[in-house]
Amino acid sequence: MDTAHSPWQPPLIWRGALLLTRVLVGLLARLEVTGDVPAHLRRGPLVLAANHISPFDPVVMAAACRTRGIAPRIMATAGLFRAPVLGAAMRHAGHIRVDRGTSAVHRALDDAATAVARGSVILIYPEGRIGLDPGMWPERGKTGTARLALACGAPVIPVAQWGAHEVLPYRAPRGMLRGIARSLWRRPVIRVHFGAPVDLGESSAASPGAARRATGRIIDALTDTLAPLRPDEPDLPRHVDPGRPSDSSRAHRRNQG
């Protein structure tokens, strides 16, 4: 891995935003963060692989990372970068644009690989979308996270979170004000757990099926990390979002062996 460059340093705008996310989550919910990231990995190179259940997830993950002294660069949909003010802030903060469904999508992996090789922590959602599994368990993943980690030789830590879906509905901004008002009143518990590094079981993405097998291991680890956060909701979530569609076509099947 190329470590000749000076490690990436989060700019002031991103350090300020991390503090703001911690305050915001504290207003809307009770954040419980467990697990940790080894001290030698907190400044990278590292890949954080998180489950995706709500539009509020990036705010929750940023707040949780701040409690562990981590300033990750987030791989985020291109739509956020096109927003007049938010887009400029995200570019300045060093986040990585993902143009899903276009020929430019591979550029995001190249940019992320360069960032990891230079010592950054990258936060990525391996499912590639807000999951639509009926039970809100992690879906079958896209191979980008595994290919990134295998290409860079960077460790992957699963970060599971539960409760963000009670703050913002799936169709936000539709219903956002109602969700925020409810959260200010009830302050639901949001749990985040940093798991143990994933054994990808592969040394290179070049061998046939390596990225797919490693992706399965990442989703397995995310599922195992999530289970203790929702012990009384093993099948279906208690909180029902009527605007959330259900799609079991991408249900994850655990790796065998």
Side-chain angles (χ1 to χ4, degrees), residues 133-147:
D133 178 80
M136 294 181 66
W137 289 98
E139 295 182 324
R140 183 173 68 249
K142 303 288 188 179
T143 60
T145 306
R147 286 189 284 126

Side-chain angles (χ1 to χ4, degrees), residues 66-248:
R66 188 181 187 280
T67 70
R68 293 300 183 258
I70 305 169
R73 299 171 72 174
I74 301 173
M75 296 189 71
T77 181
L80 296 177
F81 288 83
R82 288 193 291 267
V85 177
L86 178 62
M90 291 192 68
R91 286 190 294 272
H92 187 69
H95 301 309
I96 298 171
R97 172 174 173 158
V98 182
D99 291 277
R100 294 192 181 101
T102 73
S103 58
V105 69
H106 297 292
R107 187 187 309 151
L109 278 181
D110 293 340
D111 292 343
T114 299
V116 172
R118 293 181 176 179
S120 291
V121 177
I122 298 294
L123 172 63
I124 187 170
Y125 296 103
E127 296 164 273
R129 68 174 185 179
I130 295 177
L132 300 180
D133 178 80
M136 294 181 66
W137 289 98
E139 295 182 324
R140 183 173 68 249
K142 303 288 188 179
T143 60
T145 306
R147 286 189 284 126
L148 171 62
L150 292 172
C152 299
V156 178
I157 287 182
V159 189
Q161 60 95 13
W162 186 247
H165 59 296
E166 297 191 39
V167 177
L168 288 187
Y170 174 83
R171 298 193 183 278
R174 185 187 305 174
M176 182 173 68
L177 293 180
R178 181 183 303 171
I180 289 174
R182 182 178 60 243
S183 296
L184 285 170
W185 176 255
R186 297 182 55 201
R187 298 190 70 246
V189 176
I190 296 179
R191 300 181 177 93
V192 178
H193 184 74
F194 291 84
V198 182
D199 177 5
L200 298 183
E202 308 286 343
S203 60
S204 169
S207 59
R212 175 50 61 192
R213 291 190 296 272
T215 299
R217 287 174 178 260
I218 291 170
I219 300 299
D220 286 348
L222 258 181
T223 302
D224 291 342
T225 306
L226 174 61
L229 303 186
R230 46 179 295 185
D232 53 347
E233 302 174 77
D235 299 314
L236 297 174
R238 283 195 307 268
H239 177 79
V240 177
D241 178 356
R244 185 188 194 95
S246 179
D247 177 10
S248 59

